Amino acid sequence: MVDFSMLILEDRKERKADKFKGTFLDYLNLLREDTTSYQLAHERLYHLLTKPGVEHIKTEEDARLMRIYGKEIIKRYAFFKDDFFGIDQTIMKIVRYFCSAAMKGEESRQVLYLVGPVGVGKSSLIDAIKRLLEESPPIYSLQGCPMREEPLHLLPKHLRGQVEKLLNIKIEGDLCPVCKYRLMNEFNGEYEKFPVEAIDFSIRSRKGIGVVPPVDPNNQDTSVLVGSIDISKMDLYPEDDPRVLSLNGAFNAGNRGIVEFIEVFKNDVEYLHTMITATQEKSIPSPGKNAMIYFDGVILAHSNEAEWNKFKSDHTNEAILDRIVKIEVPYCLELSEEIKIYDKMLKRSNFNSHIAPHTLELAGMFAILSRLAPSAKVDPLTKLKIYNGEEVIEKGTTKRIDILELKDEAEREGMSGISTRFIFKAIDTALAESECHCINPIGLMEVLLREVKELTISDELKKKYLGFLQDTIKKEYHKILEKEVTKAFIHGYKEQAEDLFNNYLDHAEAYANKTKLKDQNTGEELNPDEEFMRSIEEQLGITQAGAKGFRQDVTSYMFSIVRNGGKVDYTSYEPLKEAIEKKLTTSVRELSRIITQSKVRDKEQNVKYDAMVEEMKANGYCNHCCNVILKYAANNLWKD
């Protein structure tokens, strides 16, 4: 049995042991052993972000990533991998900013600004970085300093060069007015006796993490940023006496850590001018008539694109714009990654319901279709598949559709559309309304239709979204569902598809090369089976005249895969894959239609129906959703 009192006491003992308290001289000796304790804010955060690990992915070694990113090297950071999906390039840009700033490049004197549509994860990215700082090892500070400043600021300028050589570091910054006063009046200038302590970071306690929410333009007070003068002490001390200072603003709290500006451009421009000195000069004004105060912190800001465009359009804001590193955070455009976002959110909720196969997939399809820009080259659904890394080939040719060409058509893609938050609210609603603790594609699509109709958007946009749900996605789901039922009927579906593929490839190759096939059993040489090949080609509507070209395309395409060291299977060439799946579906369509539609089945049909249900349950369906799905199939598929 756990003794909670002992657990608490042991934890307290460990924490007390970890807390360093000593003089500045003790701190210097500590630095002599390990200088990693001395880091500026950007360097500290860069090391924290990369410490969990970085995976360098060569896209040439991953066919799917090669199709999405080309030959670019992708870096995936272990710190972000379980929480953020489909924004690898955005995360790479964020870490690149910290890398450059850690090396004291120009970015160390710039604001990191995230811009993107609502619900894209801007705040989540910044919250993750703040939590990382909270969990980081303690740093060392002058005891009682309202700026939590670096103890090395005590060193006089004439001595810094020698200490820098001894410790192999570069000291930046000066004492704040409060500590300067204390040094001279409490310690008689003997800085080696100034007490130093280990301190941590805390969001709630405003320790090293300052947050600036949007402020009413009619009531903006810079004390929120840089603190104020304590009026109660004005009778005791002169106005320029540091003892009257109350350094409790966001920049004071966020020194050596982070200052976050929420919806930054909702504030008046004059209110943001503190950013200019905090970034370029690394100092902030002190309240009243005291000197400027050294500031070492990461300034993070975020807002939506409309506010950014409004702010950017005013040329008088150039001074602030010049101090901003802008990183766009778009919506996820990869279906498989979008589904991971929903999975993550579901795992973090208390919902304990069954989710039928393809439910989240269809929700993700709708979200991504709404985010894609129209293309003259492909239809929206094909574009979605290409962006998901699926190999899509133009029918009647071996030419792949180039994703880079599609992206060049639409530079702003991913910066508008349905948010992940909207989709998940629909999932929440479907789960809450479910009486059987199960949601399926049909139920979720009904909820999404209802929610879209209630959206406050233009009629044209609403019509477009409803078209995706009622036409594009519905048709795609019918194809998926027909294939699911087919797979449930056909034992060893994949094996049969591979057999058809291999047979077709053998016959097409013999046809293209004008050779004969050898029967494996009799050894007899046979001509390519024209009837068999046509039964496959007809599934794609290929005419007799176009058959020759199609067979040559298939043969040359498969040869190119083998030549490049790839693996050939029935999914290798999208048009042929589609034809084979259609043929298999056609072969059982009549039986499927009879069994799912019949209210009264004979004994043989019952056996086949039960076997089909068991196969579907093995593939992730429960009794309830299986019943709903098959009723839907009976009413919507195989219509005479």
Side-chain angles (χ1 to χ4, degrees):
M1 186 176 177
V2 177
D3 186 339
F4 288 108
S5 62
M6 286 300 294
L7 183 69
I8 292 167
L9 289 171
E10 284 175 14
D11 175 67
R12 187 172 295 144
K13 186 178 178 181
E14 284 177 15
R15 287 181 175 274
K16 280 184 179 178
D18 289 341
K19 289 288 185 183
F20 169 88
K21 280 192 178 181
T23 64
F24 177 62
L25 194 59
D26 295 325
Y27 176 64
L28 284 176
N29 289 323
L30 186 147
L31 279 181
R32 187 162 53 185
E33 299 296 324
D34 181 14
T35 56
T36 56
S37 302
Y38 175 74
Q39 289 178 326
L40 297 180
H42 288 92
E43 184 182 6
R44 183 182 306 108
L45 268 167
Y46 175 66
H47 286 156
L48 289 171
L49 286 168
T50 55
K51 187 179 178 181
V54 185
E55 183 184 5
H56 293 74
I57 301 171
K58 292 182 179 178
T59 52
E60 292 99 325
E61 298 171 4
D62 187 313
R64 179 178 176 273
L65 292 178
M66 182 74 173
R67 288 191 286 269
I68 296 172
Y69 299 111
K71 293 183 179 180
E72 183 181 350
I73 293 177
I74 301 297
K75 294 180 183 177
R76 284 193 174 151
Y77 297 89
F79 172 70
F80 293 102
K81 72 173 184 178
D82 294 328
D83 293 304
F84 299 96
F85 306 96
I87 53 170
D88 286 336
Q89 290 175 313
T90 299
I91 289 171
M92 284 166 61
K93 289 176 185 176
I94 290 172
V95 180
R96 194 183 305 147
Y97 161 85
F98 281 104
C99 178
S100 177
M103 295 185 288
K104 300 183 182 177
E106 182 57 26
E107 278 85 347
S108 65
R109 298 175 184 273
Q110 302 260 304
V111 176
L112 177 62
Y113 168 65
L114 304 183
V115 60
V118 295
V120 78
K122 303 182 295 292
S123 300
S124 298
L125 280 164
I126 290 177
D127 286 344
I129 294 171
K130 290 192 298 187
R131 285 196 305 273
L132 176 66
L133 202 55
E134 273 194 314
E135 296 162 7
S136 68
I139 60 172
Y140 299 93
S141 165
L142 296 178
Q143 193 177 68
C145 176
M147 297 293 296
R148 299 158 49 89
E149 68 183 310
E150 167 59 49
L152 289 176
H153 291 178
L154 287 167
L155 282 171
K157 294 286 172 65
H158 67 269
L159 195 58
R160 287 192 179 185
Q162 295 179 54
V163 175
E164 286 174 347
K165 285 182 181 178
L166 288 168
L167 298 177
N168 194 27
I169 59 173
K170 178 67 178 174
I171 301 169
E172 284 191 19
D174 298 296
L175 282 175
C176 73
V178 173
C179 290
K180 191 178 291 184
Y181 179 88
R182 289 181 63 204
L183 174 62
M184 300 312 296
N185 292 274
E186 291 182 31
F187 302 99
N188 297 316
E190 296 177 352
Y191 52 83
E192 71 276 13
K193 295 180 181 178
F194 207 113
V196 173
E197 64 179 348
I199 56 171
D200 53 15
F201 293 88
S202 171
I203 298 170
R204 285 191 173 186
S205 303
R206 298 180 82 235
K207 294 178 181 178
I209 301 172
V211 179
V212 185
V215 180
D216 180 3
N218 300 316
N219 190 30
Q220 289 191 345
D221 183 357
T222 54
S223 64
V224 173
L225 301 178
V226 297
S228 60
I229 290 175
D230 189 342
I231 300 173
S232 66
K233 294 179 180 178
M234 290 292 287
D235 291 339
L236 302 173
Y237 312 112
E239 191 178 347
D240 60 351
D241 192 308
R243 287 173 292 181
V244 303
L245 296 180
S246 180
L247 301 179
N248 57 4
F251 278 99
N252 310 122
N255 188 43
R256 304 186 72 194
I258 291 171
V259 178
E260 177 193 6
F261 281 81
I262 301 170
E263 301 293 344
V264 58
F265 297 126
K266 284 184 178 175
N267 297 299
D268 250 5
V269 177
E270 289 74 16
Y271 190 70
L272 301 177
H273 280 172
T274 308
M275 275 188 184
I276 297 175
T277 56
T279 52
Q280 211 64 30
E281 299 168 27
K282 299 205 84 169
S283 61
I284 57 172
S286 59
K289 297 181 179 180
N290 280 280
M292 297 290 281
I293 300 172
Y294 174 78
F295 172 78
D296 167 41
V298 178
I299 304 176
L300 303 177
H302 52 94
S303 74
N304 60 50
E305 201 171 18
E307 288 168 0
W308 163 255
N309 290 334
K310 182 181 176 183
F311 186 83
K312 185 180 65 171
S313 64
D314 188 344
H315 68 90
T316 61
N317 296 331
E318 287 178 358
I320 295 174
L321 289 169
D322 193 47
R323 289 162 173 81
I324 287 175
V325 174
K326 172 177 167 266
I327 295 178
E328 291 184 349
V329 186
Y331 285 126
C332 174
L333 296 178
E334 292 176 44
L335 179 59
S336 57
E337 297 296 297
E338 182 77 7
I339 294 169
K340 288 178 185 176
I341 298 173
Y342 306 151
D343 279 330
K344 177 194 75 174
M345 296 167 84
L346 281 166
K347 284 172 185 173
R348 292 181 179 179
S349 73
N350 289 330
F351 286 112
N352 190 25
S353 299
H354 174 256
I355 298 176
H358 308 295
T359 304
L360 301 183
E361 181 185 350
L362 294 190
M365 278 185 184
F366 172 58
I368 291 172
L369 285 171
S370 74
R371 300 165 187 172
L372 295 176
S375 172
K377 300 178 187 295
V378 291
D379 63 86
L381 193 62
T382 302
K383 190 174 187 180
L384 178 148
K385 291 177 180 179
I386 294 168
Y387 276 31
N388 195 41
E390 297 176 34
E391 186 153 35
V392 177
I393 299 158
E394 294 178 16
K395 289 182 183 178
T397 176
T398 57
K399 182 184 174 186
R400 295 184 183 91
I401 300 171
D402 189 353
I403 190 171
L404 298 178
E405 289 181 11
L406 295 178
K407 287 182 176 179
D408 286 342
E409 278 186 312
E411 293 180 4
R412 309 299 304 150
E413 203 160 48
M415 298 299 281
S416 62
I418 291 292
S419 73
T420 303
R421 193 179 295 149
F422 175 88
I423 296 293
F424 202 74
K425 282 194 288 186
I427 294 171
D428 282 352
T429 302
L431 287 165
E433 290 178 353
S434 171
E435 295 179 0
C436 300
H437 302 290
C438 168
I439 63 168
N440 54 66
I442 299 141
L444 184 57
M445 288 301 106
E446 288 175 0
V447 173
L448 283 169
L449 276 168
R450 194 170 69 221
E451 297 292 327
V452 168
K453 287 175 182 176
E454 293 174 4
L455 274 176
T456 310
I457 53 176
S458 68
D459 290 343
E460 184 182 351
L461 197 55
K462 190 176 288 189
K463 184 180 178 182
K464 178 183 174 182
Y465 290 171
L466 291 173
F468 285 145
L469 289 168
Q470 294 170 321
D471 184 54
T472 309
I473 295 173
K474 187 177 182 180
K475 286 178 180 175
E476 183 66 13
Y477 180 57
H478 285 182
K479 290 180 185 176
I480 292 169
L481 182 54
E482 189 168 24
K483 197 182 297 181
E484 287 278 277
V485 176
T486 299
K487 285 181 180 179
F489 267 107
I490 301 177
H491 181 70
Y493 177 88
K494 187 176 180 182
E495 289 79 4
Q496 291 202 34
E498 288 290 354
D499 285 343
L500 277 176
F501 167 76
N502 289 325
N503 282 338
Y504 181 86
L505 202 57
D506 288 343
H507 287 273
E509 187 178 7
Y511 176 87
N513 297 330
K514 296 180 180 178
T515 58
K516 294 192 174 186
L517 291 152
K518 184 176 280 190
D519 190 296
Q520 290 182 353
N521 298 317
T522 64
E524 181 185 0
E525 289 193 337
L526 303 170
N527 289 319
D529 189 336
E530 182 72 26
E531 187 179 342
F532 167 70
M533 288 188 287
R534 292 297 298 138
S535 72
I536 301 286
E537 292 153 0
E538 284 169 355
Q539 304 300 324
L540 297 176
I542 295 170
T543 62
Q544 183 74 46
K548 180 180 178 181
F550 181 76
R551 293 165 193 173
Q552 289 173 336
D553 285 342
V554 171
T555 304
S556 60
Y557 186 76
M558 296 305 166
F559 178 71
S560 71
I561 292 176
V562 173
R563 187 177 56 203
N564 292 319
K567 183 183 176 183
V568 170
D569 60 23
Y570 91 95
T571 64
S572 297
Y573 187 62
E574 183 63 33
L576 185 55
K577 170 180 174 284
E578 183 183 338
I580 287 169
E581 288 179 343
K582 279 186 175 181
K583 180 167 176 61
L584 283 173
T585 302
T586 304
S587 68
V588 296
R589 180 174 290 165
E590 189 61 26
L591 181 60
S592 303
R593 187 180 68 82
I594 292 169
I595 289 178
T596 54
Q597 286 186 335
S598 295
K599 291 182 180 178
V600 180
R601 302 183 191 93
D602 59 32
K603 189 175 180 181
E604 184 183 349
Q605 286 176 342
N606 265 329
V607 170
K608 289 182 178 178
Y609 182 83
D610 291 342
M612 179 190 67
V613 169
E614 288 304 312
E615 186 66 24
M616 290 185 75
K617 283 162 68 176
N619 291 331
Y621 293 91
C622 69
N623 280 322
H624 172 73
C625 66
C626 195
N627 186 43
V628 172
I629 294 294
L630 289 175
K631 280 183 180 177
Y632 178 86
N635 294 326
N636 292 275
L637 304 182
W638 315 302
K639 288 184 177 179
D640 296 327

